[in-house]
Amino acid sequence: MPRSSSRCPPGSICRILLLPMVAGLLAAAGCAGQQAGAFWYTLGVVKPPKKAVSYELPRKPVLILVDDDRDLAQPRQICDLLVDALAQELREQDLVDRVTTNEELAKVRQSEPNFDKRGAREVGRLVKADIVIWLNISRYSLPDELEWSGTPAYFGASVKIVNAQAERRDDVRLWPTTTEGKIVEVKVSPHDIRQCKTVKEAQQVMAESLAAEVARLFYEYQEES
């Protein structure tokens, strides 16, 4: 007759009995606060808290406008990559119905005189957008030698939400109220940078990483423990 195993199979009653026993041991040992919370997160008993929405985007046509006033990001193609990546993130999270494409914006830029001197609200109106997600590059750092990179890449931008259809100046800024906007920055590991064969490929990874973090401002998500 085969020996019965002393081990409990996954999902068995042993796990159910174990949790109250461990809880008692923790209480007896004086475990509380962050240590106890971290323990339950590890066991998967308690889920990490959800991150609240920073700003709820109106369900209206959106323009994503990326500026680089200080010429931090070179080559500048990363600005277009960021537009595309953020538009994709917003669609995947079902936050928008219509986003102006880079191609649509390029046509308006060619046909409108002094386009680069126009403000975000004016550009939004030109492309028939109601809401402008306006990003201004605040940080950019990419190692020169991708294959041998031992340092991470950094990419950041200030984020502002603008009402392109506002008639009064005081109604133009929707969020945030601070002048500098909401700063969002990401770090891409040296390992991920070394996997990239070209600068454009590395910039694509950076743009997707920053886009994911910017999009998180607009929807509720589960924080990592």
Side-chain angles (χ1 to χ4, degrees):
M1 179 180 295
R3 295 181 180 179
S4 59
S5 173
S6 61
R7 296 181 179 179
C8 297
S12 72
I13 192 171
C14 293
R15 177 179 174 82
I16 299 174
L17 295 175
L18 175 64
L19 296 180
M21 181 178 68
V22 173
L25 291 174
L26 286 174
C31 294
Q34 292 183 344
Q35 289 182 347
F39 179 82
W40 292 121
Y41 288 160
T42 302
L43 284 183
V45 176
V46 178
K47 291 184 178 180
K50 285 189 176 182
K51 186 71 173 179
V53 176
S54 297
Y55 178 77
E56 187 172 347
L57 283 174
R59 200 86 183 190
K60 296 180 178 180
V62 171
L63 165 67
I64 301 170
L65 190 63
V66 179
D67 284 332
D68 185 12
D69 296 341
R70 293 184 287 167
D71 292 327
L72 298 176
Q74 298 296 332
R76 188 177 168 78
Q77 64 187 357
I78 195 170
C79 295
D80 289 342
L81 296 176
L82 180 56
V83 171
D84 288 338
L86 181 53
Q88 182 176 343
E89 284 285 339
L90 296 178
R91 292 192 188 97
E92 289 180 354
Q93 297 299 328
D94 193 28
L95 296 172
V96 296
D97 294 324
R98 179 180 177 274
V99 181
T100 301
T101 65
N102 280 318
E103 291 74 20
E104 291 172 332
L105 187 60
K107 290 180 180 179
V108 174
R109 179 181 281 110
Q110 292 175 355
S111 62
E112 289 293 328
N114 301 318
F115 179 90
D116 292 331
K117 295 181 180 181
R118 296 179 181 271
R121 178 177 60 166
E122 291 180 286
V123 176
R125 289 184 173 186
L126 288 173
V127 298
K128 296 180 173 55
D130 292 330
I131 303 297
V132 179
I133 302 177
W134 185 14
L135 298 96
N136 202 334
I137 306 302
S138 60
R139 186 175 187 181
Y140 177 87
S141 175
L142 177 64
D144 294 330
E145 299 293 335
L146 301 181
E147 186 178 359
W148 306 104
S149 175
T151 57
Y154 294 92
F155 195 26
S158 65
V159 183
K160 301 176 184 178
I161 308 299
V162 171
N163 180 3
Q165 301 304 322
E167 297 297 336
R168 298 191 310 160
R169 185 180 184 87
D170 293 342
D171 297 333
V172 173
R173 177 77 68 83
L174 293 175
W175 180 86
T177 56
T178 55
T179 303
E180 65 274 14
K182 173 66 175 179
I183 303 297
V184 181
E185 294 185 349
V186 294
K187 178 174 71 173
V188 181
S189 71
H191 174 269
D192 290 339
I193 293 299
R194 289 195 296 268
Q195 304 307 306
C196 301
K197 302 301 182 183
T198 64
V199 169
K200 184 175 182 179
E201 187 176 338
Q203 286 190 326
Q204 180 69 49
V205 173
M206 296 167 68
E208 291 175 356
S209 181
L210 182 58
E213 287 303 309
V214 172
R216 282 184 164 190
L217 296 171
F218 312 124
Y219 67 89
E220 187 181 61
Y221 65 94
Q222 198 85 47
E223 289 187 297
E224 296 180 0
S225 58

